[in-house]
Amino acid sequence: MSFNILLSVLLGIGFGYFILPSGFLEYTGTIIDIGLCVLLFFVGMDLGRQKDFFQNIKELGYKMIFVPFGVIIGGVLGGIIGGMVLHIPLGEAAAVSSGLGWYTLSSIMLADYSNELSVLAFLVNVLREVIALIAIPFVAKHIGFIESVSMCGATAMDTSLPVISKFTDSNTTVISFVTGVISTISVPVILPIILNILGG
Amino acid sequence: MGIRLIIYFLILFLGFIIGHKDKINDGLYRKINILQNVCLYVLLFIMGIRIGLDDSVISSFLSIGYMAVVITLITLIVTIGIVRLLSKLILNRKGEDKIEL
């Protein structure tokens, strides 16, 4: 299954790079929006078919908040360790990784600080989304459902949600949506804080 | 982002209502499942096209791609580790893939 996902993304990259004209880019946003809405509708339907859905969510309750909390801490800490390995300023590496997969916002927010950092933020967060999508089936099967959600970060509420829904269960799908929402809200708050504290 | 979030939630909710009311029999559900797979792969394919069409992504990947790969992989491993640890502490999870309460 991971192979099919990888193949779809790689075929797309190949088509985009070698075959399609650059003018096609403006249509892809609309196609993705429509496709995403159709898939989210199906995800909702899958959730609705689970008869014990409300009981499960009631039991999970506030406990599910630890997932986005772990995602945020992991994003910052992972960047710091990455900075140590690459010998680049820790604050800059942590700011880049605290984009949590939201590549458009993180690269825009870092554009004023430095162009190089903005490009790095874009790449890191695009890669996070692509690797997460490819690795979800493997991580869900061999490590755990919640761990597969944690990789997605901010994309857990949209582009990664259909994949999470397909390879995990209904509880995890709800946790994924909540994780994505909280991660998304936290990026514009945490990224400047990290840059100020560690980048100064 | 706010409006987008509301739209996503409303679409999920609409799907939820239809799924919850048992309007869909198993035969139709299987067909929908196939459609769901097709949509997913088309979406991933289009996402790939977006990356491939953006020359700046490809060219910058060739120059600083190794840094991006290192930061991304370390971030993912650390995140999985932290969430796994927290899930064991908070959910008292016993199974590997189920959420034990």
Side-chain angles (χ1 to χ4, degrees):
Chain A
M1 207 65 205
S2 283
F3 177 75
N4 290 349
I5 292 173
L6 177 68
L7 191 67
S8 305
V9 176
L10 286 182
L11 272 178
I13 294 174
F15 253 74
Y17 191 69
F18 293 110
I19 297 170
L20 293 170
S22 56
F24 190 75
L25 189 63
E26 60 181 297
Y27 304 110
T28 54
T30 313
I31 299 172
I32 287 178
D33 280 343
I34 294 169
L36 199 53
C37 288
V38 173
L39 279 169
L40 289 178
F41 176 77
F42 290 144
V43 169
M45 225 164 62
D46 283 339
L47 292 178
R49 284 171 62 93
Q50 312 296 323
K51 295 304 160 213
D52 50 358
F53 177 79
F54 289 110
Q55 183 59 33
N56 289 342
I57 293 309
K58 203 174 150 190
E59 285 175 27
L60 261 177
Y62 70 92
K63 285 179 184 170
M64 67 173 95
I65 299 297
F66 84 86
V67 186
F69 178 73
V71 167
I72 294 165
I73 301 290
V76 177
L77 199 61
I80 292 174
I81 298 170
M84 286 173 178
V85 172
L86 293 168
H87 299 106
I88 59 172
L90 303 188
E92 294 185 2
V96 160
S97 62
S98 60
L100 305 178
W102 191 357
Y103 51 85
T104 45
L105 185 80
S106 54
S107 57
I108 289 168
M109 286 183 82
L110 288 166
D112 284 342
Y113 185 83
S114 123
N115 270 341
E116 289 73 24
L117 208 58
S118 170
V119 173
L120 186 61
F122 188 84
L123 281 181
V124 163
N125 290 293
V126 165
L127 268 179
R128 179 170 183 160
E129 181 172 23
V130 172
I131 293 174
L133 285 169
I134 295 164
I136 286 167
F138 178 84
V139 174
K141 188 176 176 190
H142 298 286
I143 301 176
F145 286 180
I146 297 181
E147 289 81 352
S148 69
V149 170
S150 74
M151 293 191 298
C152 310
T155 67
M157 71 169 196
D158 45 43
T159 45
S160 303
L161 193 62
V163 188
I164 288 288
S165 165
K166 193 166 172 55
F167 294 100
T168 66
D169 58 12
S170 60
N171 282 3
T172 314
T173 306
V174 174
I175 292 175
S176 179
F177 188 73
V178 172
T179 300
V181 170
I182 295 176
S183 300
T184 299
I185 293 168
S186 72
V187 174
V189 180
I190 288 179
L191 198 150
I193 293 175
I194 296 298
L195 206 55
N196 275 332
I197 295 174
L198 296 170
Chain B
M1 201 64 215
I3 292 173
R4 193 168 277 262
L5 185 60
I6 292 167
I7 292 171
Y8 289 163
F9 187 77
L10 286 177
I11 291 169
L12 276 170
F13 185 68
L14 184 67
F16 183 90
I17 296 293
I18 291 170
H20 201 63
K21 288 200 179 297
D22 280 336
K23 295 282 182 201
I24 298 149
N25 61 42
D26 287 343
L28 182 60
Y29 187 70
R30 272 194 290 278
K31 283 177 187 157
I32 288 173
N33 221 7
I34 295 167
L35 183 64
Q36 200 170 347
N37 282 345
V38 172
C39 278
L40 183 62
Y41 293 129
V42 170
L43 188 73
L44 294 168
F45 178 69
I46 302 287
M47 281 166 65
I49 286 179
R50 274 179 81 86
I51 296 170
L53 279 175
D54 197 331
D55 288 339
S56 62
V57 175
I58 303 295
S59 60
S60 57
F61 187 78
L62 295 175
S63 58
I64 56 169
Y66 76 98
M67 292 169 82
V69 170
V70 169
I71 294 176
T72 308
L73 289 179
I74 292 175
T75 303
L76 287 176
I77 293 166
V78 171
T79 303
I80 287 175
I82 289 175
V83 169
R84 186 166 183 81
L85 186 71
L86 286 175
S87 74
K88 284 193 183 300
L89 290 173
I90 295 170
L91 295 184
N92 295 321
R93 212 163 47 139
K94 298 177 191 81
E96 283 302 308
D97 52 356
K98 298 285 178 213
I99 300 165
E100 303 284 344
L101 298 166

